[in-house]
Amino acid sequence: MTNEMRQEIALQRYKLISPVLAETARSRNAWFRQVASREQVIGGRAKTVAVSTLKAWLKAYRTSGFGGLMPKRRTDSGRPRKLGDREMAAIRGRCKAFPNKSVQKLYEELLANDQLGEK
């Protein structure tokens, strides 16, 4: 996601919380319920926003200013999000060989044997 897109999303979030920046908690909650009752276009997609999300945005704005409203960058940015054929073959083999093992245990073993690719 480009920095320009992140700023645009932050601006759209700000537009939703700005009418109640100086209001009491009661009027803030009423506004947030009203906003949550209809779809909002954020980041080019129409979606509903929960009251708790609006409260979190308000808190982030008060704590960090406009930058707090910008979406966080992904920690896996620049790396493939899919496993390769080698990793998938290792996973399938382990699952077939040990069908009764928990997913957590299989994951730990594959990770310990460097069969899941780069972290």
Side-chain angles (χ1 to χ4, degrees):
M1 180 180 303
T2 65
N3 198 42
E4 191 173 290
M5 178 61 124
R6 291 175 65 233
Q7 288 179 347
E8 179 64 30
I9 290 172
L11 181 60
Q12 292 165 345
R13 291 175 176 179
Y14 179 77
K15 286 179 184 178
L16 294 177
I17 64 167
S18 64
V20 293
L21 287 176
E23 297 295 328
T24 63
R26 180 174 293 197
S27 56
R28 272 196 315 261
N29 288 336
W31 172 255
F32 289 159
R33 282 191 299 273
Q34 181 183 353
V35 170
S37 69
R38 58 185 190 273
E39 284 192 338
Q40 307 296 327
V41 178
I42 299 176
R45 296 186 335 199
K47 55 184 169 182
T48 57
V49 180
V51 171
S52 60
T53 300
L54 292 164
K55 288 180 179 181
W57 290 346
L58 179 61
K59 182 179 180 181
Y61 177 75
R62 287 186 171 156
T63 303
S64 304
F66 188 76
L69 296 175
M70 294 174 73
K72 306 292 184 256
R73 296 191 185 276
R74 289 184 61 117
T75 57
D76 63 351
S77 180
R79 291 185 285 172
R81 294 187 181 105
K82 291 184 178 181
L83 296 175
D85 293 334
R86 181 180 143 263
E87 290 85 6
M88 288 304 295
I91 292 170
R92 285 189 198 100
R94 284 279 184 178
C95 288
K96 287 180 183 177
F98 305 102
N100 295 327
K101 279 195 178 178
S102 69
V103 172
Q104 181 66 35
K105 191 66 176 169
L106 288 169
Y107 172 77
E108 289 169 359
E109 289 176 1
L110 289 164
L111 193 60
N113 295 331
D114 283 331
Q115 292 179 314
L116 291 180
E118 295 181 28
K119 289 185 188 177

